[in-house]
Amino acid sequence: MIEDVLKTLSLTGEQSGAGNGSWLACTGELVESLSPIDGRTIGRVRSASKEDYESVSVAALRAFDTWKMVPAPKRGEIVRQIGNAFRAYKKELGALVSLEMGKIRAEGEGEVQEMIDMTDFAVGQSRMLYGLTMHSERPGHRMYEQWHPMGPVGVITAFNFPVAVWSWNAMIALVAGDTVIWKPSSKVPLCAIATMNIAWKVLKENGLPEGILSLVVGKHEIVGEALINDPKIPLISATGSVRMGRHIGQTVKARLGKALLELGGNNAIIVAPSANLQLAVRAILFGAVGTAGQRCTTTRRLIVHQSIYPALVETLLKAYSQVRIGNPLEESTLMGPLIDREAVESMQAALKRVGDEGGHILYGGKVLSGELFDAGTYVTPCICEVGPDLSIVKEETFAPILYLIRYGTIDEAIRYHNTVPQGLSSAIFTNDIREAEAFLSHRGSDCGIANVNIGTSGAEIGGAFGGEKDTGGGREAGSDAWKAYMRRQTCTINWSDDLPLAQGIHFETN
């Protein structure tokens, strides 16, 4: 099955890690793609050197001159065709996401569907690149704003969403008239290469030049630094850790470029006394266990009213005990592996700190062993009982650890919720309209996403995605997503025979 998927996606043999429509003869070191399912090498990629990156970036800049002059609705038509191409390979791409990243099959195909949905969304946006007309204070003048393509855009993505996050940026950037250079995580390079193979075919069939969509796989200190320091790249969109985001933000801002950052999440659900517990537990389970806790929107904290705490814990423990852990390609599996052994070690270190700081484990947290788990990447999802002020609770551990915290009043719950550095996704389960409105008010959730009676995970592309504080402040998708990828221009036209100045200023010579 693995061989069939790789063959269908043109991934047999050693792969090049750089290209702009055709693959370059890269000169960087060889990177092995290891499946977290069993530790097996599923592919080898020759990574890009700094010189390879320069070739790609020059081609992207050259292609921008052509692509920006294609009418936006026509650019949308190309994106529509790319979406249809992804539809044709949905099962194979979904299987590859599972193989290389470890998501269960349903989530792997769901991620590809997210790419497809994003192309559909972008097609609509291609006819909605609106400017405004304003009334000028000067007689005989017309004033309006318009938006222009920006240039080559750099997109840096993390391992946990190996294809979807690229599409959230790239499809909108394409309809905006930009070209795109993608640097994926070196942990999942095959997903990126397969995606490029599919998209490039569409561009070639339409007679478009190379360089509109490009890829560079390589070390962050080589390729990554070249990308974020490149003055040819006016915008860098980066998804990853807070530490990474701070470095990218400072570097890009130092050259007066723009940075769109989507960083860490430490997402919480408040469960109020009036909540539908059955509904809440379903959302908590998917939010905390889905993708083995490796989503930026993963539910990491559960803030529960003291009156329902025992009942919720009992129900949650029962639900966790029924989670089937194993090969993500098997239909009955609900949780696959962590991305690698380093992630497992990070989880174990966090759990040790929980004990050292006074919390205790109620369920799970074990590293699984045996014939089915030889890769050393499988763990049992973990529930911990903690106080709200533990330092470990304020950090994001990219693993299936759920921290349980008791509260007494809604104001106390909101305070606990907001007292972390991150601000991505949030939720409350309540049937009390006053509590729901308090949570959504100015004094409520300080996150970029706030939900009532649904969980923290599973964002729709129609809404702007991103967060506040250490999450970086960036937004992807949403009604005006295209504005992030274009430059704004204010225009004034004088159709009179006079030259009045603004603010009534008179400046005349005799």
Side-chain angles (χ1 to χ4, degrees):
M1 181 276 210
I2 295 175
E3 288 72 18
D4 290 342
V5 168
L6 296 177
K7 184 177 180 181
T8 300
L9 297 174
S10 303
L11 294 174
T12 56
E14 183 178 307
Q15 303 295 310
S16 168
N20 48 35
S22 57
W23 296 107
L24 305 182
C26 288
T27 58
E29 67 180 41
L30 195 64
V31 173
E32 287 194 335
S33 175
L34 304 177
S35 174
I37 297 174
D38 54 12
R40 172 182 173 181
T41 298
I42 56 175
R44 292 176 174 84
V45 179
R46 182 65 62 181
S47 60
S49 65
K50 189 172 181 180
E51 290 72 26
D52 296 326
Y53 166 77
E54 188 62 27
S55 295
V56 165
S57 66
V58 168
L61 185 62
R62 185 168 57 246
F64 174 64
D65 286 338
T66 299
W67 183 243
K68 69 183 180 183
M69 298 309 296
V70 175
K74 298 295 185 183
R75 298 194 294 255
E77 166 58 19
I78 302 301
V79 168
R80 186 190 67 81
Q81 293 177 35
I82 292 173
N84 284 341
F86 290 151
R87 281 183 174 89
Y89 289 95
K90 178 178 175 180
K91 287 193 175 296
E92 292 83 2
L93 275 175
L96 181 62
V97 170
S98 295
L99 282 168
E100 195 170 37
M101 189 269 150
K103 287 184 178 180
I104 63 173
R105 189 66 177 266
E107 287 190 276
E109 290 189 16
E111 181 169 347
V112 179
Q113 185 61 49
E114 203 169 312
M115 275 211 299
I116 295 166
D117 292 345
M118 200 64 218
T119 62
D120 290 345
F121 184 75
V123 172
Q125 292 237 307
S126 71
R127 294 181 180 270
M128 299 171 64
L129 309 183
Y130 303 137
L132 296 174
T133 297
M134 291 78 71
H135 286 273
S136 173
E137 67 181 68
R138 291 170 283 187
H141 285 60
R142 180 166 69 89
M143 186 165 63
Y144 68 97
E145 67 177 23
Q146 61 182 351
W147 297 79
H148 294 302
M150 185 178 289
V153 171
V155 178
I156 299 172
T157 60
F159 73 86
N160 60 325
F161 278 86
V163 294
V165 170
W166 166 80
S167 72
W168 281 56
N169 289 275
M171 297 303 105
I172 303 298
L174 285 182
V175 300
D178 302 325
T179 55
V180 180
I181 301 174
W182 181 12
K183 183 196 176 298
S185 166
S186 293
K187 295 181 180 182
V188 286
L190 297 182
C191 288
I193 292 169
T195 300
M196 287 293 97
N197 283 334
I198 295 168
W200 285 350
K201 185 178 179 182
V202 173
L203 296 175
K204 288 176 182 176
E205 288 171 348
N206 282 274
L208 292 165
E210 293 187 343
I212 292 174
L213 288 176
S214 302
L215 181 73
V216 283
V217 177
K219 289 184 174 181
H220 66 85
E221 60 264 30
I222 298 175
V223 172
E225 288 299 311
L227 177 61
I228 66 178
N229 281 283
D230 192 343
K232 297 190 295 295
I233 314 300
L235 171 67
I236 298 289
S237 176
T239 301
S241 69
V242 174
R243 180 181 58 82
M244 180 208 75
R246 283 202 174 99
H247 172 66
I248 290 175
Q250 291 167 2
T251 303
V252 174
K253 291 294 184 182
R255 61 175 177 84
L256 301 183
K258 296 181 180 179
L260 192 164
L261 302 175
E262 200 279 283
L263 310 175
N266 192 351
N267 317 294
I269 295 177
I270 297 172
V271 186
S274 65
N276 179 329
L277 291 189
Q278 184 179 12
L279 198 67
V281 167
R282 287 171 58 194
I284 294 162
L285 191 66
F286 175 70
V289 174
T291 321
Q294 298 171 116
R295 287 175 174 240
C296 52
T297 54
T298 289
T299 304
R300 308 202 181 279
R301 297 176 295 138
L302 193 61
I303 304 168
V304 185
H305 192 271
Q306 57 198 13
S307 66
I308 59 170
Y309 187 90
L312 181 58
V313 170
E314 181 181 355
T315 306
L316 205 54
L317 290 173
K318 183 178 179 181
Y320 265 59
S321 69
Q322 296 172 357
V323 173
R324 187 176 185 277
I325 303 164
N327 188 327
L329 293 171
E330 296 178 4
E331 292 294 332
S332 58
T333 298
L334 289 181
M335 190 179 109
L338 295 180
I339 186 65
D340 52 28
R341 293 191 178 192
E342 183 181 351
V344 174
E345 292 169 3
S346 177
M347 177 179 178
Q348 296 307 301
L351 293 178
K352 183 180 183 301
R353 283 184 58 190
V354 169
D356 292 345
E357 294 180 16
H360 63 277
I361 297 172
L362 297 181
Y363 180 89
K366 303 296 184 184
V367 180
L368 296 174
S369 59
E371 183 179 353
L372 297 175
F373 309 114
D374 283 345
T377 52
Y378 293 85
V379 298
T380 52
C382 186
I383 302 173
C384 300
E385 190 172 53
V386 299
D389 297 323
L390 267 63
S391 62
I392 187 64
V393 174
K394 300 183 190 305
E395 299 176 13
E396 179 189 41
T397 302
F398 228 53
I401 302 174
L402 180 64
Y403 299 118
L404 269 57
I405 301 167
R406 290 181 175 88
Y407 81 90
T409 67
I410 188 63
D411 287 341
E412 185 181 37
I414 291 172
R415 185 170 72 252
Y416 292 162
H417 176 279
N418 291 347
T419 186
V420 296
Q422 308 85 358
L424 179 52
S425 187
S426 61
I428 186 171
F429 277 79
T430 180
N431 286 325
D432 185 328
I433 190 172
R434 294 170 300 177
E435 289 181 331
E437 291 295 336
F439 183 74
L440 299 176
S441 73
H442 306 322
R443 68 182 178 92
S445 167
D446 61 0
C447 294
I449 300 168
N451 299 327
V452 176
N453 293 331
I454 60 171
T456 61
S457 202
E460 296 183 37
I461 63 167
F465 182 87
E468 302 300 327
K469 302 189 293 186
D470 277 5
T471 301
R475 293 296 186 275
E476 297 165 337
S479 59
D480 60 351
W482 55 271
K483 289 183 178 180
Y485 306 91
M486 303 191 80
R487 61 182 179 87
R488 188 176 191 167
Q489 185 179 74
T490 300
C491 305
T492 306
I493 299 169
N494 180 4
W495 52 272
S496 73
D497 293 325
D498 297 321
L499 191 66
L501 299 178
Q503 293 86 44
I505 295 173
H506 294 280
F507 189 78
E508 303 289 344
T509 59
N510 293 327

